[in-house]
DNA sequence: CTGTTAGGTGTACGGCATACGCCTACCGAG
DNA sequence: CTCGGTAGGCGTATGCCGTACACCTAACAG
């Protein structure tokens, strides 16, 4: 009966994501999103209760992509299938690094991630893990992926931090300086999969 | 010749940490810290260039504790020694959960963490790992610890998220709902060490 | 005692999220 | 076609925030 909405939630979250991708997370403000949509600031509040809800919408938009791709092939070892699923999560989040800090606070609610977890648990179950082993394994995988993605985007191994470490006094930090020197040839990809392989090996493969 | 400073950096960072511990990270503001110290807001700027520098000071205060404890005993397997070092990092950060989000942005500069990394690399070296293996292992350990600490404090397994998952439709998420039900008896401590054991097992133990 | 230097302060500005009340576009009913 | 009510959109105002700037003043060197 009354006036219909002129914007969809998808438009909202897409606009917010566009702002983040363009100006980074600090650039995200109700004003900026409103400008992006061509409406007034306060009109936004007809769609979300507060800024937090807008952030949750963006996170959901980004994370939903993790499940939009086809399911993993049943072929291959379970290690290969878990690796594929983990890679999918990594590339999904990595596509929008600016959103990363928001995912921690708003992760729980995402159906996409829930379905991802369900799939991983399934593969682990088929691999012969018991109920409690499965939980520990899933949480460990999640912890590793979360931490690794963060390290990759907030303190990359090939970045300024590593060169700073390489410049430390070698007498006091012999291992670190040596590590920093040889770390320059280690790509983020090899690093990530190396650590993941450790975890999978520990899982019994 | 001129007027001496009336505050030390330790007092500054301690005051900021006190504010965070008492009112949480959102409660941290230049005004609040100034009140805590009994000085005017602008007087703070005689000690730090901006808010970011104050945050870095707090992070450094918290992380420095990781190395103030005595070195790990040379006895025991290398797995036990790494576990001890990792535990030390976990309890250090866990003592001030409010600071957690700040550590990601300001972590690199901490001498305490640098010395921690040096020690871990040393143990890994004695365990027989080669140079590149050591780096991958250290970074994997760091990634796991970072992610696990975050999961523990921002989305605890025994918290609201898990009960929400337990309430999901069991037909659609059979593994997840079953996992959430049996996860209630899994303490954060057992979860953390379970995942860590996986990683260490993968390292060749 | 006095001049210099740097520590401490008060005021002010622009940006932020957002509570509140007004205007009005839209739709169903008559 | 008209009209009334509902809910969308907007302007204004408030109280936070970080911080630039100009001023006052405590303290030491001479």
């Amino acid at each position: 009966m009354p006036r219909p909405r002129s914007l969809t939630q998808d438009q909202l979250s897409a606009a917010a994501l566009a702002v983040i991708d363009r100006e980074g997370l600090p650039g995200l403000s109700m004003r900026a999103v409103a400008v992006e949509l061509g409406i007034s600031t306060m009109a936004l509040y007809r769609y979300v209760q507060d800024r937090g809800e807008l952030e949750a919408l963006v996170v959901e938009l980004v994370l939903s992509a993790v499940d939009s791709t086809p399911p993993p092939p049943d072929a291959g070892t379970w290690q290969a299938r878990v690796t594929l699923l983990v890679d999918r999560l990594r590339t999904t989040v990595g596509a929008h690094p600016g959103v990363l800090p928001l995912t921690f606070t708003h992760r729980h609610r995402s159906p996409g991630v829930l379905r991802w977890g369900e799939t991983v648990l399934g593969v682990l179950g088929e691999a012969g893990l018991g109920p409690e082993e499965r939980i520990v394994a899933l949480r460990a995988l999640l912890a590793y992926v979360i931490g690794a993605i963060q390290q990759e985007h907030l303190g990359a191994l090939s970045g300024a931090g590593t060169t700073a470490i390489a410049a430390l006094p070698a007498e006091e930090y012999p291992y670190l300086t040596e590590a920093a020197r040889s770390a320059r040839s280690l790509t983020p990809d090899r690093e990530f999969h190396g650590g993941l392989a450790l975890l999978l090996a520990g899982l019994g493969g």
Side-chain angles (χ1 to χ4, degrees), chain A:
Chain A
M1 41 192 89
R3 191 170 169 183
R5 306 195 92 101
S6 55
L7 265 55
T8 67
Q9 272 209 351
D10 289 340
Q11 286 175 289
L12 266 211
S13 44
L17 181 57
V19 170
I20 295 177
D21 284 342
R22 186 165 7 96
E23 315 181 32
L25 188 54
L28 180 69
S29 73
M30 301 302 270
R31 285 168 170 80
V33 175
V35 168
E36 183 83 16
L37 289 167
I39 63 174
S40 83
T41 305
M42 291 313 292
L44 268 182
Y45 287 88
R46 295 286 174 188
Y47 295 86
V48 292
Q49 201 138 34
D50 54 21
R51 181 200 163 101
E53 204 174 308
L54 182 64
E55 291 176 353
L57 248 44
V58 178
V59 172
E60 176 51 30
L61 173 63
V62 171
L63 291 186
S64 64
V66 88
D67 199 51
S68 65
T69 38
D74 285 347
T77 64
W78 62 266
Q79 288 93 335
R81 287 199 282 161
V82 171
T83 301
L84 191 142
L85 285 165
V86 167
D87 277 343
R88 202 175 272 179
L89 184 54
R90 174 169 172 244
T91 58
T92 296
V93 177
H96 302 279
V99 184
L100 222 165
L102 299 182
T103 55
F104 314 134
T105 347
H106 301 286
R107 169 166 37 97
H108 356 284
R109 284 183 276 255
S110 168
V113 171
L114 286 182
R115 297 186 48 78
W116 180 90
E118 176 70 17
T119 309
V120 172
L121 280 178
V123 174
L124 293 176
E126 290 170 27
L129 272 67
E132 189 165 312
E133 286 178 296
R134 282 200 294 266
I135 312 173
V136 172
L138 173 63
R139 295 276 295 184
L141 281 170
L142 257 179
Y144 174 71
V145 177
I146 290 174
I149 292 176
Q150 253 173 275
Q151 285 192 133
E152 188 175 338
H153 290 278
L154 301 180
L157 201 49
S158 48
T162 306
T163 57
I165 289 177
L168 287 175
E171 320 84 50
E172 203 171 348
Y173 303 97
Y175 281 105
L176 266 185
T177 48
E178 189 261 351
R181 252 180 288 114
S182 57
R184 269 193 280 267
S185 60
L186 191 61
T187 67
D189 229 74
R190 284 213 305 135
E191 183 196 344
F192 180 83
H193 286 104
L196 179 59
L198 289 178
L199 210 44
L200 290 177
L203 273 172

